[in-house]
Amino acid sequence: MRRTTALRGAAALIALLPAAAMAERGADGHLNIIYYQAPSILNPYLSGGTKDIESSSLIIEPLARYDEKGERVPYLVDAIPTLENGGVSQDMTSITWKLKPGLKWSDGSPLTSADIVFTAEYCMHPEGGCAQLSKFEGVKTVEAVDDLTVKVTFEGPKPNPYLPFVGGQSPIIQKAQFAECLGTKAPTCTSANFGPIGTGPFVATEFRPNDVISLKANPNYRDPAKPAFATVTFKGGGDAAAAARSVLETGEFDYAWNLQLPPEVLEKMVAAGKGELVTGFGTLVERLELNLTNPSPSLPPETRATLKEPHPFFSDIRVRKELSMAIDRPLLTEIGYGQAGRATCNLVPAPEAFASTANDACLTQDVAGAKALLDEAGWVPGPDGIRVKDGQKLAIIFQAPVNAIRQDFQALIKQWWQDIGVQTELRTVDPSVFFGGDPGSPDTFQKFYADVEMYANNFDGTDPEAYLAMYKCGNEPRPETGWQGENINRFCDPAYDALIDKLGETGVFEERTKIAKEAHDLYMQQSVLLPLVDRGRVSGKSKTLGGVVLNTWDSELWNAADWYRIK
């Protein structure tokens, strides 16, 4: 069967994790980490925010991760299941994982297959809202074969069966702790969501949402010599500049994430000599999401920003397209990121095999074309220059999390849109709130109480199947799911869904790339998501912190167990 070629040899070359230079657990004392977007929760199934996914990755783990090369590496298992070793069935309808024997949760109880089965039940619960539901796309059953073995069966052949339980977005949670937290009860389990019991290198001893996490070394971690650090302070809040200074200039912190600052600013800080930058390109794309539903505050909360209330003018593709045409992406990239960014028209800019060239027209700003498109759509400039149609002004609210570069982008985009007759009101939101998963907050990116919003996101691993599946019909956040969901702009097209389903059934790599690009281009050409910049990952680390391996394909803290103090 030709489809099997995608899985042959999937684990032939498993990279060894770097060994930390340490003698015993906790010997290197204290570690200080700063994320200027403060974590709001330690449960990635209830938040799509990177800050929440990465902070929780210090505590809870998947069966396997992706390393810095994008290759799968075993964590809670001894080997990656493949066709060769029998872990993936010959008809590709199932994958069987075998836990390492003797693994314990941080409370000392054994990790078993029942916890894996429960994790799937938790995310797939029909009455819940799981932020990582696309990871379980096509899963029919998850069953325990024995205490250490679990079998995932798919609804049909699944040439890429490495979506559930692989990568930082799909970790294992403890059944005993979350047993009473299924479905609509999930957000109410504060103790579990703020202090999950895990198998990772650290344990949360105190969690103050949107502020700070205190952690200690997990006494039951599987490697008795790790982690090197006895305690960790994970500080959240502030801004990128303050976070960068704390590592690069003052040395107060050891690691600072996502230093979204102009290159010349970072160069001056590095000159202080306390720290250095770690960088790499992956799939992180700064984008604009256009809301296809009506976010008007005049609507009742049960229908506001839901499919029951279509957007008053974004329903017209011409209005969406003109917004994209008016943007000068190369200028945004130069101003905001320099060589650490690349202007892009793609949601999936990498790996190269999946990167399309069919959308590259957006790299050239076309103000005249944008105006002509609005003329064609019947939007006529009023006395103040703002376009009007049927008595309605072309006026939008454009929100973004607080960040110096994003506010510069907002100002430039507002001017470009003003030039073509679009009235734009700018709104900024605290990033800890914006990327949080609080269903009661009006300011989360999932709730999307605005017309346009800007942020960056990426996917783990090197295959975009789950990432593209986020935009299938039914995956949109809504009241019934506690405002969890990955289809942020509320896009729905049965033709797109059919392509994603076809992708899930296709194993030959060349055919997979062709189908993925076809689905991607269909989505891009609807102009509901406007890519701006393919961003390189830039973080900072102390010169005394060893073992750091920047990973753009998984959690940036993926190998924190291997970090150590350079003496």
Side-chain angles (χ1 to χ4, degrees), residues 281-306:
F281 276 95
T283 59
L284 184 65
V285 171
E286 192 77 20
R287 85 283 302 276
L288 300 179
E289 299 268 9
L290 275 55
N291 196 343
L292 293 181
T293 62
N294 193 342
S296 172
S298 66
L299 296 171
E302 61 269 18
T303 62
R304 182 185 181 189
T306 72

mmCIF file of all heavy atoms in Angstrom, residues 281-306:
data_model
loop_
_atom_site.group_PDB
_atom_site.id
_atom_site.type_symbol
_atom_site.label_atom_id
_atom_site.label_comp_id
_atom_site.label_asym_id
_atom_site.label_seq_id
_atom_site.Cartn_x
_atom_site.Cartn_y
_atom_site.Cartn_z
ATOM 1 N N PHE A 281 13.897 29.947 13.328
ATOM 2 C CA PHE A 281 12.644 30.048 12.594
ATOM 3 C C PHE A 281 11.882 28.734 12.677
ATOM 4 O O PHE A 281 12.474 27.652 12.649
ATOM 5 C CB PHE A 281 12.901 30.391 11.121
ATOM 6 C CG PHE A 281 13.078 31.854 10.857
ATOM 7 C CD1 PHE A 281 14.345 32.408 10.816
ATOM 8 C CD2 PHE A 281 11.989 32.683 10.667
ATOM 9 C CE1 PHE A 281 14.528 33.758 10.567
ATOM 10 C CE2 PHE A 281 12.152 34.043 10.424
ATOM 11 C CZ PHE A 281 13.428 34.586 10.371
ATOM 12 N N GLY A 282 10.566 28.847 12.765
ATOM 13 C CA GLY A 282 9.694 27.684 12.751
ATOM 14 C C GLY A 282 8.442 27.991 11.972
ATOM 15 O O GLY A 282 8.504 28.253 10.770
ATOM 16 N N THR A 283 7.299 28.014 12.664
ATOM 17 C CA THR A 283 6.020 28.271 11.991
ATOM 18 C C THR A 283 5.240 29.395 12.663
ATOM 19 O O THR A 283 4.020 29.478 12.533
ATOM 20 C CB THR A 283 5.159 26.991 11.981
ATOM 21 O OG1 THR A 283 4.919 26.563 13.334
ATOM 22 C CG2 THR A 283 5.843 25.870 11.220
ATOM 23 N N LEU A 284 5.934 30.269 13.385
ATOM 24 C CA LEU A 284 5.269 31.333 14.138
ATOM 25 C C LEU A 284 4.902 32.479 13.199
ATOM 26 O O LEU A 284 5.779 33.157 12.663
ATOM 27 C CB LEU A 284 6.195 31.835 15.247
ATOM 28 C CG LEU A 284 5.625 32.889 16.200
ATOM 29 C CD1 LEU A 284 4.480 32.300 17.018
ATOM 30 C CD2 LEU A 284 6.719 33.421 17.122
ATOM 31 N N VAL A 285 3.614 32.719 13.015
ATOM 32 C CA VAL A 285 3.151 33.728 12.069
ATOM 33 C C VAL A 285 2.302 34.787 12.778
ATOM 34 O O VAL A 285 1.294 34.475 13.416
ATOM 35 C CB VAL A 285 2.321 33.094 10.931
ATOM 36 C CG1 VAL A 285 1.659 34.166 10.061
ATOM 37 C CG2 VAL A 285 3.211 32.206 10.075
ATOM 38 N N GLU A 286 2.747 36.037 12.662
ATOM 39 C CA GLU A 286 1.940 37.172 13.111
ATOM 40 C C GLU A 286 0.842 37.363 12.076
ATOM 41 O O GLU A 286 1.105 37.430 10.875
ATOM 42 C CB GLU A 286 2.808 38.420 13.214
ATOM 43 C CG GLU A 286 2.165 39.581 13.935
ATOM 44 C CD GLU A 286 2.154 39.413 15.456
ATOM 45 O OE1 GLU A 286 2.957 38.610 15.980
ATOM 46 O OE2 GLU A 286 1.340 40.095 16.108
ATOM 47 N N ARG A 287 -0.405 37.434 12.555
ATOM 48 C CA ARG A 287 -1.526 37.490 11.628
ATOM 49 C C ARG A 287 -2.646 38.393 12.118
ATOM 50 O O ARG A 287 -2.722 38.731 13.310
ATOM 51 C CB ARG A 287 -2.076 36.084 11.385
ATOM 52 C CG ARG A 287 -3.099 35.568 12.386
ATOM 53 C CD ARG A 287 -2.544 35.107 13.704
ATOM 54 N NE ARG A 287 -1.559 34.041 13.529
ATOM 55 C CZ ARG A 287 -1.906 32.755 13.410
ATOM 56 N NH1 ARG A 287 -3.161 32.399 13.535
ATOM 57 N NH2 ARG A 287 -0.981 31.838 13.268
ATOM 58 N N LEU A 288 -3.540 38.723 11.193
ATOM 59 C CA LEU A 288 -4.798 39.385 11.525
ATOM 60 C C LEU A 288 -5.911 38.367 11.343
ATOM 61 O O LEU A 288 -5.986 37.696 10.310
ATOM 62 C CB LEU A 288 -5.067 40.583 10.613
ATOM 63 C CG LEU A 288 -4.045 41.717 10.609
ATOM 64 C CD1 LEU A 288 -4.476 42.801 9.626
ATOM 65 C CD2 LEU A 288 -3.874 42.309 11.996
ATOM 66 N N GLU A 289 -6.758 38.244 12.334
ATOM 67 C CA GLU A 289 -7.961 37.426 12.217
ATOM 68 C C GLU A 289 -9.134 38.368 11.978
ATOM 69 O O GLU A 289 -9.286 39.373 12.678
ATOM 70 C CB GLU A 289 -8.202 36.627 13.499
ATOM 71 C CG GLU A 289 -7.103 35.648 13.856
ATOM 72 C CD GLU A 289 -7.351 34.247 13.301
ATOM 73 O OE1 GLU A 289 -8.299 34.088 12.497
ATOM 74 O OE2 GLU A 289 -6.590 33.331 13.674
ATOM 75 N N LEU A 290 -9.972 38.038 10.988
ATOM 76 C CA LEU A 290 -11.167 38.828 10.709
ATOM 77 C C LEU A 290 -12.385 38.061 11.204
ATOM 78 O O LEU A 290 -12.589 36.892 10.851
ATOM 79 C CB LEU A 290 -11.296 39.103 9.204
ATOM 80 C CG LEU A 290 -10.531 40.318 8.659
ATOM 81 C CD1 LEU A 290 -9.055 40.266 8.986
ATOM 82 C CD2 LEU A 290 -10.740 40.444 7.151
ATOM 83 N N ASN A 291 -13.174 38.704 12.015
ATOM 84 C CA ASN A 291 -14.313 38.062 12.657
ATOM 85 C C ASN A 291 -15.476 37.934 11.672
ATOM 86 O O ASN A 291 -15.996 38.934 11.185
ATOM 87 C CB ASN A 291 -14.737 38.887 13.878
ATOM 88 C CG ASN A 291 -15.645 38.113 14.811
ATOM 89 O OD1 ASN A 291 -16.214 37.093 14.450
ATOM 90 N ND2 ASN A 291 -15.787 38.618 16.036
ATOM 91 N N LEU A 292 -15.888 36.720 11.376
ATOM 92 C CA LEU A 292 -17.015 36.510 10.466
ATOM 93 C C LEU A 292 -18.352 36.582 11.172
ATOM 94 O O LEU A 292 -19.395 36.416 10.539
ATOM 95 C CB LEU A 292 -16.862 35.165 9.759
ATOM 96 C CG LEU A 292 -15.678 35.058 8.783
ATOM 97 C CD1 LEU A 292 -15.640 33.687 8.134
ATOM 98 C CD2 LEU A 292 -15.735 36.145 7.737
ATOM 99 N N THR A 293 -18.321 36.849 12.480
ATOM 100 C CA THR A 293 -19.559 37.015 13.232
ATOM 101 C C THR A 293 -19.628 38.427 13.798
ATOM 102 O O THR A 293 -18.644 39.159 13.831
ATOM 103 C CB THR A 293 -19.657 35.983 14.367
ATOM 104 O OG1 THR A 293 -18.571 36.180 15.293
ATOM 105 C CG2 THR A 293 -19.603 34.567 13.823
ATOM 106 N N ASN A 294 -20.795 38.800 14.259
ATOM 107 C CA ASN A 294 -21.032 40.174 14.708
ATOM 108 C C ASN A 294 -20.677 40.335 16.189
ATOM 109 O O ASN A 294 -21.313 39.728 17.049
ATOM 110 C CB ASN A 294 -22.511 40.528 14.488
ATOM 111 C CG ASN A 294 -22.780 42.010 14.630
ATOM 112 O OD1 ASN A 294 -21.977 42.745 15.194
ATOM 113 N ND2 ASN A 294 -23.920 42.460 14.128
ATOM 114 N N PRO A 295 -19.668 41.158 16.502
ATOM 115 C CA PRO A 295 -19.255 41.323 17.897
ATOM 116 C C PRO A 295 -19.956 42.486 18.611
ATOM 117 O O PRO A 295 -19.543 42.872 19.702
ATOM 118 C CB PRO A 295 -17.763 41.626 17.756
ATOM 119 C CG PRO A 295 -17.687 42.426 16.485
ATOM 120 C CD PRO A 295 -18.751 41.872 15.576
ATOM 121 N N SER A 296 -21.004 43.023 18.033
ATOM 122 C CA SER A 296 -21.647 44.218 18.588
ATOM 123 C C SER A 296 -22.131 43.997 20.022
ATOM 124 O O SER A 296 -22.802 42.996 20.310
ATOM 125 C CB SER A 296 -22.838 44.619 17.720
ATOM 126 O OG SER A 296 -23.572 45.656 18.342
ATOM 127 N N PRO A 297 -21.815 44.917 20.939
ATOM 128 C CA PRO A 297 -22.279 44.789 22.327
ATOM 129 C C PRO A 297 -23.788 44.941 22.470
ATOM 130 O O PRO A 297 -24.335 44.671 23.541
ATOM 131 C CB PRO A 297 -21.537 45.917 23.052
ATOM 132 C CG PRO A 297 -21.195 46.897 21.981
ATOM 133 C CD PRO A 297 -20.965 46.102 20.741
ATOM 134 N N SER A 298 -24.461 45.355 21.408
ATOM 135 C CA SER A 298 -25.922 45.485 21.467
ATOM 136 C C SER A 298 -26.621 44.135 21.393
ATOM 137 O O SER A 298 -27.819 44.028 21.669
ATOM 138 C CB SER A 298 -26.413 46.368 20.314
ATOM 139 O OG SER A 298 -26.178 45.754 19.059
ATOM 140 N N LEU A 299 -25.876 43.095 21.035
ATOM 141 C CA LEU A 299 -26.462 41.762 20.902
ATOM 142 C C LEU A 299 -26.470 41.029 22.236
ATOM 143 O O LEU A 299 -25.616 41.275 23.094
ATOM 144 C CB LEU A 299 -25.662 40.943 19.879
ATOM 145 C CG LEU A 299 -25.678 41.468 18.442
ATOM 146 C CD1 LEU A 299 -24.674 40.697 17.584
ATOM 147 C CD2 LEU A 299 -27.072 41.353 17.849
ATOM 148 N N PRO A 300 -27.398 40.102 22.439
ATOM 149 C CA PRO A 300 -27.412 39.321 23.688
ATOM 150 C C PRO A 300 -26.182 38.425 23.765
ATOM 151 O O PRO A 300 -25.652 37.977 22.732
ATOM 152 C CB PRO A 300 -28.703 38.506 23.582
ATOM 153 C CG PRO A 300 -29.055 38.494 22.136
ATOM 154 C CD PRO A 300 -28.550 39.777 21.576
ATOM 155 N N PRO A 301 -25.692 38.135 24.959
ATOM 156 C CA PRO A 301 -24.443 37.366 25.119
ATOM 157 C C PRO A 301 -24.496 35.968 24.523
ATOM 158 O O PRO A 301 -23.460 35.422 24.148
ATOM 159 C CB PRO A 301 -24.247 37.327 26.640
ATOM 160 C CG PRO A 301 -25.582 37.639 27.223
ATOM 161 C CD PRO A 301 -26.252 38.541 26.265
ATOM 162 N N GLU A 302 -25.686 35.390 24.421
ATOM 163 C CA GLU A 302 -25.765 34.036 23.884
ATOM 164 C C GLU A 302 -25.634 33.983 22.360
ATOM 165 O O GLU A 302 -25.414 32.916 21.782
ATOM 166 C CB GLU A 302 -27.070 33.355 24.316
ATOM 167 C CG GLU A 302 -28.339 34.046 23.843
ATOM 168 C CD GLU A 302 -28.852 35.073 24.845
ATOM 169 O OE1 GLU A 302 -28.070 35.489 25.729
ATOM 170 O OE2 GLU A 302 -30.038 35.443 24.752
ATOM 171 N N THR A 303 -25.742 35.132 21.696
ATOM 172 C CA THR A 303 -25.575 35.135 20.234
ATOM 173 C C THR A 303 -24.457 36.057 19.764
ATOM 174 O O THR A 303 -23.994 35.941 18.629
ATOM 175 C CB THR A 303 -26.882 35.570 19.539
ATOM 176 O OG1 THR A 303 -27.212 36.910 19.919
ATOM 177 C CG2 THR A 303 -28.024 34.635 19.897
ATOM 178 N N ARG A 304 -23.989 36.958 20.596
ATOM 179 C CA ARG A 304 -22.911 37.873 20.205
ATOM 180 C C ARG A 304 -21.653 37.100 19.823
ATOM 181 O O ARG A 304 -21.240 36.182 20.517
ATOM 182 C CB ARG A 304 -22.613 38.832 21.363
ATOM 183 C CG ARG A 304 -21.532 39.864 21.068
ATOM 184 C CD ARG A 304 -21.217 40.696 22.298
ATOM 185 N NE ARG A 304 -20.200 41.699 22.015
ATOM 186 C CZ ARG A 304 -19.606 42.455 22.953
ATOM 187 N NH1 ARG A 304 -19.954 42.317 24.240
ATOM 188 N NH2 ARG A 304 -18.688 43.340 22.596
ATOM 189 N N ALA A 305 -21.078 37.456 18.685
ATOM 190 C CA ALA A 305 -19.848 36.824 18.186
ATOM 191 C C ALA A 305 -20.003 35.318 17.984
ATOM 192 O O ALA A 305 -19.060 34.552 18.166
ATOM 193 C CB ALA A 305 -18.670 37.132 19.111
ATOM 194 N N THR A 306 -21.196 34.891 17.590
ATOM 195 C CA THR A 306 -21.443 33.489 17.255
ATOM 196 C C THR A 306 -21.999 33.411 15.837
ATOM 197 O O THR A 306 -22.394 34.410 15.237
ATOM 198 C CB THR A 306 -22.441 32.826 18.213
ATOM 199 O OG1 THR A 306 -23.756 33.338 17.951
ATOM 200 C CG2 THR A 306 -22.076 33.097 19.668
#
